[in-house]
Amino acid sequence: IVFCPKYRHQILKGDIAKYSKRQLYYLCHQKDKIELLERNFQIDHIHIVILLPPEILSFLIHGLFER
């Protein structure tokens, strides 16, 4: 999954990057069956690789991270 700020503004640095990393781990650990395999923060986007069991639909997870 790739998340980008609106217009790919270069805002994912400093305190915002630290906050985003903490929130990503928090959201993944909220659900017992979601495993964060890989994450890569760039200044203008985030790549994440998550492991989902078949019963969890990806569109539901996407809605979880859009909050």
Side-chain angles (χ1 to χ4, degrees):
I1 301 173
V2 177
F3 293 101
C4 299
K6 191 171 186 175
Y7 306 116
R8 288 190 74 143
H9 288 295
Q10 298 182 353
I11 62 167
L12 296 170
K13 54 188 172 186
D15 290 337
I16 295 174
K18 290 178 190 176
Y19 176 79
S20 299
K21 289 175 186 178
R22 281 194 310 264
Q23 289 301 307
L24 181 60
Y25 282 113
Y26 171 75
L27 288 171
C28 284
H29 288 99
Q30 244 183 345
K31 303 288 184 182
D32 295 331
K33 298 178 181 181
I34 299 175
E35 184 179 345
L36 180 63
L37 299 177
E38 186 178 330
R39 59 132 177 93
N40 184 358
F41 279 74
Q42 299 295 319
I43 199 165
D44 64 346
H45 65 281
I46 303 169
H47 291 259
I48 62 170
V49 178
I50 53 177
L51 181 63
L52 301 171
E55 64 266 13
I56 298 179
L57 299 174
S58 62
F59 69 87
L60 294 175
I61 298 304
H62 190 264
L64 173 71
F65 286 114
E66 278 193 340
R67 291 184 194 173

